[in-house]
Amino acid sequence: MADNFKPFVSPEVKMKEFTVKSILLGCMFGIIFGAATVYLALKAGLTVSASIPIAVIAITLGRRFFKTTILENNIIQTTGSAGESIAAGVVFTLPGFLFLSDKNGDQYFNYITILILAIFGGILGTLMMIPLRRSLIVKEHDTLPYPEGTACGDVLIAGEKGGDFAKTAFYGLGFAVVYALFQKVFHVISETPAYMTKQVNKFFPSAKISADITPEYLGVGYIIGPRIAGVLVAGGVLSWLVLIPLLASLLPGDLIATQLVKLGYLADLATPGGKGNWNPTTHTFTDYSAAIYFAYVRQIGAGAVAAGGFITLIKTIPTIISSFKGSLGSLKKGEGAATSNAEVPRTERDLNVKLVLFGSIALIILMAFLPQLPGQSIGQKLLVGLLVVIFGAFFVTVSSRIVGLIGSSNNPISGMTIATLMGTCLVFIAVGWSGKLYEPMALVVGGMICIAAANAGGTSQDLKSGYIVGATPMYQQLSLFIGAIVSSIVIGLTVKFLDKPTAVMIANGVTDHAIGSTYFPAPQGTLMATLAKGILSKNLDWQFVLVGVFLSIVMELCGIKSLSFAVGAYLPLSTTLPIAIGGAIRGLVEMKNKKKNIKVSAEEEELGKGNLFATGLVAGGAVAGVIIAILAGFNSTANALNAMNMENALSGSLGEEGYYILGVVGFIFMGWVLYRIATRNKEA
């Protein structure tokens, strides 16, 4: 209980809070970090929390240019953080529409459907948190720390230090933008240096080492630290330097090509091209590693990710049960949202709990009658809507409590989504619905729950921040609804722009969708489609999936968190290797601190210069990547970008290896800058 808790701004104080400028600034940050999250999640299958960076930047901009109060700054970060959580939920599931049987889900991967599902899922996550706020945030203030929310509240309270905090983040952002210009516009820095042994190599055929040497990957690696980054790259090493060379030495080209035809990556054995660039005349691939990866290793990785997510969920079952019982018990005792705001202090005013009931009913009705959502009849759509609300009520409660204990970064969203998808498919089979027709409907349920659970976790952290600083909960809840709607508009546009192949992608054989290619692998979305097809259509290669399942089990038996390893095994090594380098730099910084006997608390590390500079690298690199990808989607700007491309000139003068080395030197320089900034903070 927190009966003696006093917020920073007392309930009696009247202060500007829910203002036009705070909402507009929050929406702007929601758009920026939402777009950046889409880009990062599609490429790496990872996200980083946006609340603290938004709070830090909001304090600086607000104090300097807009004269905002601490409560307005809280509304800014609350509104902005909705974009990051909703973007993660969208990207982790909805690209699955592209990978369903016979492409029958492709029709639903359009802007309007993505927009509807993003808004509905985001609203559902916030809606279900209204009756839970008092029981989880207030009554259990001492037992549920909500680490990101508490840190964010501390940042807001330490607002007078905001300028120094934000300066380092802005340096990182500026550095990343300049680096991205040299890499993605002028192409002075190569994007993916690679080295691969030849297929005819007797001892180690088709082993490939590559790295997308981007600012955002380096920043992500530093933020998540050496342990998780190391486990991620270990999965990549297993796939690209163990499984692929092994299969390359055992399998003939024709057999690999036959598997690619089965999976739809190659038209037929007589047609050249496809993954790995098949040559029907010589019966060989130009790139055996890519061919084997798409033919076999991705399915093994999908099985590992599914098992890792499910294992993570199983390990949290005691917490899930106690969370659900505790929350329901609190509601029964009348500890939910107050029904009359006139009876309670400003800091305890929630939106009316009746909104949850009527909002849920409205959601079901809208899902039943909107033609943009999959379903052959109103009855089918009503069942889908009902499943969304039922699963939503359960997993929003679970997500909200789990993030209070272990933080949003460790929230087993993938496991919850997998459980939802499998439960939905089993319900469909129970009522006689099986086959390709129902795959998009199952994905809608899984997608909306993923978005709702992700947003509920973020909402809980925001409400914790508000509780600490003395915000008005109803204003936070309203700003979360606004942030969900506004950011969803841009998230859908970003997804569609990134899905459009650029001229470079088309030249490399990506002609239909960029999402699902090596440029934007979308690992979780592919996994969701694989599960839906496997359960409803019974056409899954279970022999490969089960290898992945037991791979995750082996990792758990070794005491390693299997989900991180599984994601690494699924993703290209080019993604996980630069992340591991960022983690290694964090490890070197920590070693130096230990040698000098410098002790840093978790809260201080969160706000340290290394973390803030890395956050700037992530935001700057991802936003620059989104903007350049959008510009490349228009013919006029694409031609201008091509005119500035120096890759051919540099490759011609330096050779391909020399060009790659030049890129690696640029990446090393960026890593050195990150290390110097991180250690300078500790020495000071």
Side-chain angles (χ1 to χ4, degrees):
M1 299 291 285
D3 295 333
N4 299 321
F5 175 77
K6 301 292 182 185
F8 183 75
V9 180
S10 67
E12 296 78 22
V13 172
K14 290 185 178 180
M15 185 183 291
K16 287 183 179 180
E17 184 174 5
F18 191 71
T19 59
V20 172
K21 62 184 174 184
S22 65
I23 291 296
L24 289 177
L25 284 169
C27 288
M28 180 186 74
F29 287 126
I31 288 169
I32 292 171
F33 280 90
T37 299
V38 168
Y39 182 82
L40 191 60
L42 282 174
K43 284 185 74 69
L46 299 167
T47 62
V48 291
S49 177
S51 294
I52 293 174
I54 291 175
V56 168
I57 297 171
I59 289 168
T60 306
L61 295 181
R63 288 174 70 241
R64 187 167 298 178
F65 301 109
F66 300 101
K67 309 300 179 187
T68 52
T69 67
I70 185 174
L71 297 187
E72 285 179 306
N73 288 334
N74 182 59
I75 290 294
I76 291 170
Q77 76 84 16
T78 298
T79 308
S81 66
E84 178 260 332
S85 56
I86 291 172
V90 166
V91 174
F92 286 168
T93 53
L94 300 190
F97 281 128
L98 296 174
F99 315 119
L100 298 178
S101 300
D102 296 336
K103 306 293 183 184
N104 67 329
D106 201 345
Q107 61 183 304
Y108 300 111
F109 195 70
N110 60 74
Y111 174 70
I112 298 299
T113 302
I114 294 171
L115 175 66
I116 291 170
L117 294 177
I119 291 175
F120 283 4
I123 288 175
L124 181 66
T126 301
L127 199 65
M128 294 294 182
M129 263 304 296
I130 292 173
L132 296 174
R133 187 198 69 86
R134 185 165 175 77
S135 62
L136 296 180
I137 308 298
V138 179
K139 294 296 179 181
E140 297 198 55
H141 175 65
D142 295 329
T143 56
L144 292 176
Y146 287 99
E148 289 95 343
T150 299
C152 198
D154 292 341
V155 169
L156 290 166
I157 290 172
E160 65 275 11
K161 298 179 183 177
D164 293 334
F165 284 157
K167 191 184 296 182
T168 307
F170 282 123
Y171 284 156
L173 195 147
F175 189 101
V177 169
V178 173
Y179 185 99
L181 286 174
F182 278 100
Q183 184 177 54
K184 299 179 186 296
V185 176
F186 300 115
H187 292 270
V188 173
I189 300 171
S190 58
E191 293 195 43
T192 312
Y195 172 77
M196 184 174 66
T197 61
K198 297 182 182 299
Q199 173 62 17
V200 294
N201 187 300
K202 182 179 178 181
F203 302 105
F204 207 39
S206 296
K208 187 175 184 179
I209 297 177
S210 59
D212 293 331
I213 49 175
T214 62
E216 57 269 25
Y217 286 170
L218 188 73
V220 166
Y222 188 92
I223 291 168
I224 65 177
R227 173 69 179 170
I228 298 175
V231 173
L232 270 172
V233 79
V237 168
L238 177 71
S239 291
W240 292 84
L241 299 179
V242 178
L243 294 179
I244 288 176
L246 176 64
L247 293 173
S249 65
L250 296 175
L251 303 177
D254 286 332
L255 189 60
I256 300 169
T258 302
Q259 177 68 10
L260 289 173
V261 171
K262 177 184 175 182
L263 296 174
Y265 292 125
L266 184 63
D268 53 62
L269 293 180
T271 304
K275 303 298 183 183
N277 195 16
W278 169 247
N279 186 329
T281 304
T282 59
H283 297 266
T284 59
F285 290 95
T286 304
D287 186 346
Y288 271 85
S289 64
I292 293 170
Y293 170 69
F294 283 99
Y296 305 104
V297 173
R298 278 220 329 178
Q299 295 191 79
I300 295 171
V305 172
F310 214 68
I311 289 168
T312 305
L313 187 65
I314 290 170
K315 287 163 73 174
T316 55
I317 280 178
T319 308
I320 289 171
I321 294 171
S322 63
S323 299
F324 202 64
K325 284 184 177 178
S327 301
L328 288 180
S330 298
L331 290 175
K332 286 178 182 177
K333 293 175 184 175
E335 296 172 355
T339 54
S340 175
N341 283 329
E343 304 169 2
V344 295
R346 176 186 60 80
T347 53
E348 287 300 316
R349 293 177 188 168
D350 291 278
L351 292 175
N352 197 300
V353 74
K354 293 178 183 177
L355 184 64
V356 180
L357 176 62
F358 294 122
S360 299
I361 294 171
L363 187 67
I364 294 171
I365 293 171
L366 284 170
M367 291 189 68
F369 288 95
L370 283 173
Q372 291 85 0
L373 301 184
Q376 301 300 308
S377 66
I378 292 175
Q380 288 183 352
K381 292 185 176 184
L382 279 172
L383 177 59
V384 169
L386 191 61
L387 288 173
V388 164
V389 171
I390 292 171
F391 281 120
F394 180 74
F395 282 120
V396 162
T397 303
V398 170
S399 177
S400 301
R401 194 175 187 95
I402 285 178
V403 299
L405 294 169
I406 59 177
S408 297
S409 301
N410 299 309
N411 194 5
I413 294 292
S414 294
M416 297 180 198
T417 309
I418 289 165
T420 299
L421 191 61
M422 293 178 71
T424 301
C425 290
L426 292 174
V427 170
F428 283 3
I429 290 172
V431 297
W433 298 354
S434 62
K436 303 171 185 177
L437 183 65
Y438 302 100
E439 292 171 6
M441 294 166 60
L443 197 59
V444 163
V445 180
M448 283 191 62
I449 299 309
C450 185
I451 297 165
N455 195 40
T459 296
S460 303
Q461 302 287 2
D462 293 332
L463 292 173
K464 182 72 166 186
S465 302
Y467 183 65
I468 291 170
V469 302
T472 308
M474 66 178 292
Y475 290 150
Q476 282 193 281
Q477 290 155 357
L478 287 171
S479 65
L480 283 161
F481 286 134
I482 294 169
I485 293 169
V486 172
S487 59
S488 294
I489 294 170
V490 179
I491 287 166
L493 288 173
T494 306
V495 169
K496 291 303 294 180
F497 262 112
L498 294 181
D499 186 46
K500 182 181 178 183
T502 63
V504 174
M505 294 178 186
I506 293 170
N508 289 317
V510 179
T511 57
D512 193 7
H513 295 282
I515 294 176
S517 70
T518 52
Y519 294 96
F520 298 111
Q524 287 90 343
T526 310
L527 169 64
M528 299 310 163
T530 301
L531 287 174
K533 289 190 294 184
I535 297 172
L536 292 174
S537 300
K538 303 179 178 67
N539 63 350
L540 194 63
D541 284 327
W542 286 104
Q543 66 273 35
F544 304 124
V545 173
L546 287 173
V547 169
V549 168
F550 282 96
L551 182 61
S552 285
I553 291 172
V554 168
M555 292 301 108
E556 290 290 337
L557 292 173
C558 292
I560 296 170
K561 289 184 178 179
S562 59
L563 187 55
S564 297
F565 186 90
V567 170
Y570 182 91
L571 289 170
L573 184 61
S574 59
T575 298
T576 56
L577 185 55
I579 291 173
I581 293 169
I585 293 172
R586 172 76 170 266
L588 290 173
V589 171
E590 291 173 351
M591 284 173 58
K592 187 169 184 178
N593 291 340
K594 192 174 180 181
K595 279 185 179 179
K596 295 195 171 188
N597 203 26
I598 300 173
K599 295 182 180 179
V600 183
S601 68
E603 291 76 13
E604 289 174 323
E605 183 61 44
E606 192 75 42
L607 300 174
K609 287 190 175 180
N611 250 33
L612 290 172
F613 188 80
T615 298
L617 289 179
V618 174
V623 170
V626 170
I627 293 171
I628 293 167
I630 291 172
L631 292 175
F634 298 101
N635 289 332
S636 56
T637 49
N639 291 334
L641 290 174
N642 287 334
M644 292 184 279
N645 190 333
M646 299 171 64
E647 180 176 350
N648 290 334
L650 288 170
S651 295
S653 58
L654 300 174
E656 186 178 59
E657 289 185 2
Y659 178 60
Y660 285 163
I661 291 170
L662 179 64
V664 170
V665 169
F667 188 69
I668 291 172
F669 174 71
M670 180 167 57
W672 177 80
V673 171
L674 173 58
Y675 175 78
R676 289 294 301 158
I677 287 175
T679 51
R680 188 182 305 152
N681 177 50
K682 305 302 180 296
E683 289 164 0

